[in-house]
Amino acid sequence: MSDHTGVPNVYEQPLAGGELVPLTTGDEVSKYAVSYFPKDERFLFAADGGGDELNHLFVGEKGKEAIDITPGEGFRADFGNWTADKSGFFVSSNERDPKSFDIYLYDAKTLERKMIFKNEGGVLPAAIDPNLRWLAVDKLVDNADSNIYLIDLHKKKPKQVLITEHAGKVELRASHFSRDGKTLYYSTNEHSEWDQFWAYDIAKKTHAEVLKADWDVLFFKDSEHDKYRVSLVNQDARGKLTITERASGETVDIPGLPPGNIEEASFSPSETKLVLHMSTDRTPTDLYLYDLEAKTLKQLSDTLNPQIDAEQLVNAEVLRFESYDGVQVPSILWKPREASAENKVPVMLWIHGGPGGQTWAAYRPTIQYLVNQGYAIFAVNNRGSSGYGKTFYHLDDRKHGDADLDDCVAAKAYLQGLDWVDTDSIGIMGGSYGGYMTLAALAFRPDEFKVGIDIFGVANWIRTLESIPPWWDAFRASLYAEIGDPKADRERLEAHSPLLHADKITKPLLVIQGANDPRVLRAESDEIVEAVKKKGVPVEYVIFDDEGHGFAKRENAIKADEAMKNFLDAHLRGS
């Protein structure tokens, strides 16, 4: 996928290098690459309705009109994987029941399909045996506890068989099956603070450790014939990739690979080539091709706008500060080059989404733009963030707007101790949950931050929790365990909903919203803007009619960035 024309479309990147070859066109609908067909020139891509997250799957072919193989309205469909013999592929869809995803098997030649798993609700299909025998599903108990069930699809009346009996709170998530279908790989934090990968031998009904680290292991993949294994670890907000030759156990080094974050890795079926999706601190995601036999590395793409000199951008720095109760809070700093004790600069706290998200030390175009305009960005991975162990992750459960917000206040105090910071010009911003934190900061700590930028943030927890998309139903118990039950915890949720306390907001506010957002409804932003405006507080509002929970179209992203910059110039920058 590339948005170099302004709207995401699907392209083909020649392995010899050179220009992208467009496979889809158009500027109305954003389209995302999914997979080639293994035995012909067709390809799969996904598209939704202007950010509504109701994805459909399409089959494309050069010179022909694309075919929607999941026609209809009001549901979403997602690609799963190819069968072992590449004769078909799996698709999950909630068209039958908005709350449950069924599994369909599509014939690669005819595109005819049949349902192979009818989901009676409460489980998340997670992994399918490519040989069509086994299905693994996840069942969430709450946000700290889950289980994996195995289903034998060959039986007339398939039953869910629990394979992860455990004591206490343990998170378990099915990942994928081995190609022979004899082993299920899954992630778990049962044995340490970190997510590890384990294997379940279906015949022997035994579990064994596969991969562990002193950080979360994010994923691993084996090449087509199991010659190589590639794994990715979230090492202190950066992606560390390891390639191993399985027979010898030796690590395969990639000479010449620049330091940065690996986001994806794919082996060729021949096991001779590896494609990496990688960004550096100062350059966006590019494709790299590593020849495992010749041991040569080639950069296939150069996606940074040629009008931008990467040397003018800045590297991210991982820092930690002590919060109000002694907890060490990890954070990422992007500091303007001109910042010094003689030239103090304003700072914006950047709060991630989630709630349990994490800001990585990576390339972020909005951040680099604001830093280039003279604003430091301090991304606070407050308690409750992922990537720092399960204890840290659960420190903010049902304490949103309190414990996590006070981490942000402590971050401000830390920044005020740095000699290059304009101590009177510190604001807060974020998207989704980060937008909530922005509104919470202005409403519940009204004297702490000079300005706030809310990007599709929650203003009213009761409405948001009662209007979650139907396809999130299996996550409901987990979401309620973390944030609160809109019925049982109504009093607390109302006390921590900024909309219900908007009269306390006195600092300038910018709100940015996608009209089609299915997670945080437009009403959240409409009403907080109206409430703040009534108080006579400076408030600006930017709405995108063709976006959802995020901005896919480049023109919209630029408009949002410029609105932020102009707002900060007017309300944050000191003399």
Side-chain angles (χ1 to χ4, degrees), residues 228-230 241-245 250-252 254 267 274 292:
Y228 297 103
R229 171 168 291 171
V230 59
L241 187 85
T242 301
I243 306 171
T244 305
E245 189 173 39
E250 295 183 358
T251 299
V252 177
I254 303 181
F267 288 101
L274 177 68
L292 290 152

Side-chain angles (χ1 to χ4, degrees), residues 10-14 18-23 36 41 43 62 287:
V10 181
Y11 296 83
E12 194 169 66
Q13 171 65 61
E19 296 297 318
L20 293 172
V21 178
L23 298 180
Y36 281 113
E41 295 299 313
F43 59 95
K62 290 180 182 177
L287 297 175

Side-chain angles (χ1 to χ4, degrees), residues 395-455:
L395 286 178
D396 71 338
D397 286 357
R398 300 202 178 201
K399 299 177 183 176
H400 299 299
D402 282 328
D404 50 3
L405 182 55
D406 285 333
D407 283 343
C408 298
V409 174
K412 177 196 169 189
Y414 167 76
L415 290 168
Q416 288 178 318
L418 303 178
D419 63 5
W420 54 268
V421 171
D422 180 348
T423 57
D424 294 325
S425 301
I426 299 176
I428 185 168
M429 66 185 295
S432 192
Y433 166 74
Y436 163 73
M437 289 285 279
T438 297
L439 295 175
L442 298 191
F444 306 131
R445 307 291 188 273
D447 298 324
E448 292 292 346
F449 299 99
K450 192 172 181 180
V451 299
I453 299 177
D454 160 32
I455 308 167

Side-chain angles (χ1 to χ4, degrees), residues 70-128:
T70 55
E73 296 182 356
F75 67 91
R76 63 176 289 150
D78 297 297
F79 176 78
N81 205 347
W82 292 92
T83 59
D85 62 4
K86 314 299 185 187
S87 65
F89 55 92
F90 308 108
V91 174
S92 63
S93 169
N94 67 335
E95 61 192 86
R96 180 189 60 84
D97 177 358
K99 296 181 180 180
S100 304
F101 284 89
D102 301 321
I103 303 295
Y104 295 86
L105 173 63
Y106 279 72
D107 184 284
K109 288 184 178 180
T110 67
L111 300 180
E112 294 178 351
R113 70 174 190 174
K114 64 178 180 180
M115 184 188 292
I116 61 173
F117 172 66
K118 183 178 181 181
N119 190 348
E120 301 298 342
V123 298
L124 295 165
I128 311 170

Side-chain angles (χ1 to χ4, degrees), residues 185-234:
Y185 297 107
Y186 64 93
S187 67
T188 177
N189 61 9
E190 181 175 10
H191 310 282
S192 95
E193 280 285 316
W194 312 102
D195 285 343
Q196 305 174 343
F197 270 88
W198 281 59
Y200 177 71
D201 187 304
I202 298 173
K204 296 178 181 178
K205 298 182 179 180
T206 57
H207 300 261
E209 180 186 287
V210 177
L211 285 171
K212 68 176 182 178
D214 291 331
W215 299 94
D216 286 338
V217 182
L218 297 180
F219 72 77
F220 81 89
K221 294 180 181 180
D222 293 328
S223 57
E224 189 76 11
H225 305 289
D226 296 329
K227 182 177 181 180
Y228 297 103
R229 171 168 291 171
V230 59
S231 61
L232 186 68
V233 172
N234 176 0

